[in-house]
Structure formats: C-alpha cells, structure tokens
C-alpha cells in the first residue's frame, strides 16, 4: 500500500525531508504523498520513516492502494534506476 497523509496533519514539516523518494510535498492545505513515488521506504529502510517522525500519527496506509512488498520493491528499483 501507498501511504497517505490525513487532514489531521499539522504542517510541522518533519515528514518531507525523511522521505528517501521525494514522495512528500506541501499540498494546498497539508502535506501530500505522491503514490507513484511512495515505496513505504521498501528498499531504503525497514519501516516508513515519515510514520516514525510524525508527531500526530496522521500517515496511515491508503486503503485504496493495496500493494505487495514485491510491487513496492519494483517501484523502488524503477525510482532508483536499479531496474
């Protein structure tokens, strides 16, 4: 699954620099995650770094984008040029 940022986001700016794929950016009102860049940190870390640093716990899995670890690893390989 890709991750999403809910409207509980307080725009604290701690998640954006933690994303190794550059998937997090400031949206119109809150931060947003580009699902085509989110690998849940697969290939980089054991756990999603944005979830680890979020002080309000507003970064759950997106229930509309169920993806396997293999799919996330393929995305990681594509994003990093390791295809």
């Amino acid at each position: 699954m890709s991750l999403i940022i809910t409207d509980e986001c307080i725009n604290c700016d701690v998640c954006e620099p933690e994303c190794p794929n550059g998937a997090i950016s400031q949206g119109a009102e809150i931060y947003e995650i580009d699902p085509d860049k989110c690998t849940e940190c697969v290939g980089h870390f054991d756990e999603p770094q944005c979830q680890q640093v979020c002080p309000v716990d507003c970064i759950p899995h997106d229930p509309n984008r169920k993806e396997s670890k293999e799919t996330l690893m393929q995305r990681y390989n594509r994003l990093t040029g390791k295809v």
Side-chain angles (χ1 to χ4, degrees):
M1 290 183 199
S2 176
L3 300 171
I4 57 171
I5 297 177
T6 66
D7 60 4
E8 284 115 16
C9 175
I10 59 172
N11 290 311
C12 66
D13 302 319
V14 297
C15 62
E16 182 181 25
E18 295 300 319
C19 182
N21 298 320
I24 300 174
S25 62
Q26 180 64 49
E29 295 183 26
I30 60 172
Y31 278 88
E32 297 176 347
I33 297 177
D34 180 344
D36 294 326
K37 291 183 179 177
C38 180
T39 63
E40 295 179 42
C41 290
V42 167
H44 294 284
F45 301 102
D46 292 334
E47 298 180 3
Q49 298 302 287
C50 60
Q51 287 181 329
Q52 299 301 309
V53 298
C54 181
V56 292
D57 196 27
C58 69
I59 308 175
H61 288 97
D62 183 347
N64 297 318
R65 288 192 59 111
K66 295 184 180 190
E67 298 169 311
S68 67
K69 291 286 184 187
E70 291 80 22
T71 299
L72 295 171
M73 183 57 84
Q74 289 172 353
R75 183 174 300 133
Y76 162 79
N77 289 333
R78 180 179 48 81
L79 291 169
T80 60
K82 296 182 180 183
V83 179

